[in-house]
Amino acid sequence: MHYMAAAAGILCYIGAYVFITYDDYDHFFEDVYTLIPAVVIIAVGTLLFIIGLIGCCATIRESSCGLATFAAILLLVFVTECVVVVLGYIYRAKVEDEVNHSIQKVYNEYSGTNTDAPSRAIDYVQRQLHCCGIHNYSDWKNTHWFKESKNNSVPVSCCQPNISNCTGTLTRPADLYQEGCEALVVNKLKEIMMYVIWAALTFASIQMLGMLCACVVLCRRSHDPAYELLVTTNSYA
């Protein structure tokens, strides 16, 4: 049953990774329910650790009650992971609409200061995804920050890292990232959700194996008197 502890650790890691990554992009979507699959994944990971302990004890003691409980809980986890897969696909399909709906608002709230959360979010995304603006760098011309600054430049987070002395001026567009951020943010969030979906599918398959093993042992106990006698004798020994 050691694989249960490993599975629990991996699922918790994936759930935490989704939480941390989504925190960097949370200004680009407003639906908090998008994180439900990640919450469920972490809960399942914690439950798997407990299940692993139950399974080990039941296997060592050859307890019919313990094995039956183990199989029942595995079935519950299997159903939960199937729900995660469905929710993952549902929210993955909604990511694009969420980002399209909110990204213009976030860019209009940009102030260029590190104390401002939307500004930090945009600068982070532009540096991490190597993008500038919503569709391209020219989108900055329509933002409040650009019109108020009146310096004909975009944030330095739009500057390509291999360009020295880049100030973000639009008179040198070759210094800037050419691709817009909207499509890249959508792809990043969909990629993260796919991690959750594949993790749930993988470990749902593992749960099936665990349930089959538990059922095989239970069937042997109920249909093989010699096996029952051997277990009983060993228990008294």
Side-chain angles (χ1 to χ4, degrees):
M1 300 300 170
H2 294 296
Y3 76 91
M4 288 293 181
I10 294 171
L11 285 178
C12 287
Y13 172 81
I14 292 173
Y17 170 75
V18 172
F19 261 112
I20 294 170
T21 307
Y22 262 92
D23 186 57
D24 296 327
Y25 296 89
D26 63 350
H27 286 84
F28 297 97
F29 61 93
E30 299 174 353
D31 189 354
V32 294
Y33 298 109
T34 307
L35 288 174
I36 286 179
V39 174
V40 176
I41 279 287
I42 292 177
V44 168
T46 304
L47 184 59
L48 274 180
F49 181 76
I50 299 172
I51 293 172
L53 295 178
I54 295 174
C56 285
C57 293
T59 303
I60 292 172
R61 295 174 60 87
E62 294 286 354
S63 167
S64 296
C65 180
L67 286 171
T69 302
F70 177 64
I73 298 177
L74 278 183
L75 178 60
L76 175 63
V77 172
F78 175 77
V79 172
T80 303
E81 287 173 338
C82 291
V83 171
V84 168
V85 172
V86 173
L87 289 176
Y89 274 109
I90 290 173
Y91 288 115
R92 187 174 184 271
K94 293 175 63 177
V95 162
E96 188 167 357
D97 289 337
E98 281 286 321
V99 173
N100 292 344
H101 180 262
S102 60
I103 194 167
Q104 183 67 60
K105 176 184 174 183
V106 177
Y107 270 82
N108 279 329
E109 292 176 350
Y110 186 85
S111 67
T113 60
N114 286 329
T115 56
D116 181 55
S119 299
R120 290 199 306 271
I122 289 174
D123 285 335
Y124 173 84
V125 166
Q126 292 191 152
R127 288 193 177 99
Q128 289 295 312
L129 301 183
H130 298 173
C131 58
C132 184
I134 299 174
H135 302 103
N136 56 58
Y137 60 82
S138 64
D139 291 323
W140 278 104
K141 295 179 181 179
N142 302 318
T143 63
H144 299 312
W145 175 81
F146 184 90
K147 294 172 182 176
E148 292 173 2
S149 62
K150 298 179 181 179
N151 59 5
N152 195 39
S153 65
V154 297
V156 293
S157 57
C158 282
C159 292
Q160 299 186 44
N162 59 328
I163 304 296
S164 58
N165 301 320
C166 176
T167 60
T169 177
L170 290 178
T171 58
R172 298 179 59 183
D175 293 354
L176 311 174
Y177 293 123
Q178 302 300 304
E179 194 169 358
C181 294
E182 183 179 45
L184 294 177
V185 169
V186 169
N187 290 339
K188 182 66 175 179
L189 294 177
K190 284 186 174 182
E191 176 187 313
I192 294 168
M193 195 58 69
M194 279 305 299
Y195 291 152
V196 173
I197 292 171
W198 280 112
L201 283 173
T202 300
F203 290 106
S205 301
I206 294 175
Q207 305 323 311
M208 284 290 292
L209 179 62
M211 284 188 291
L212 287 174
C213 290
C215 290
V216 166
V217 173
L218 284 172
C219 288
R220 288 180 64 185
R221 285 181 63 87
S222 60
H223 294 98
D224 190 347
Y227 179 79
E228 179 72 32
L229 179 62
L230 177 62
V231 172
T232 304
T233 305
N234 288 339
S235 298
Y236 284 117

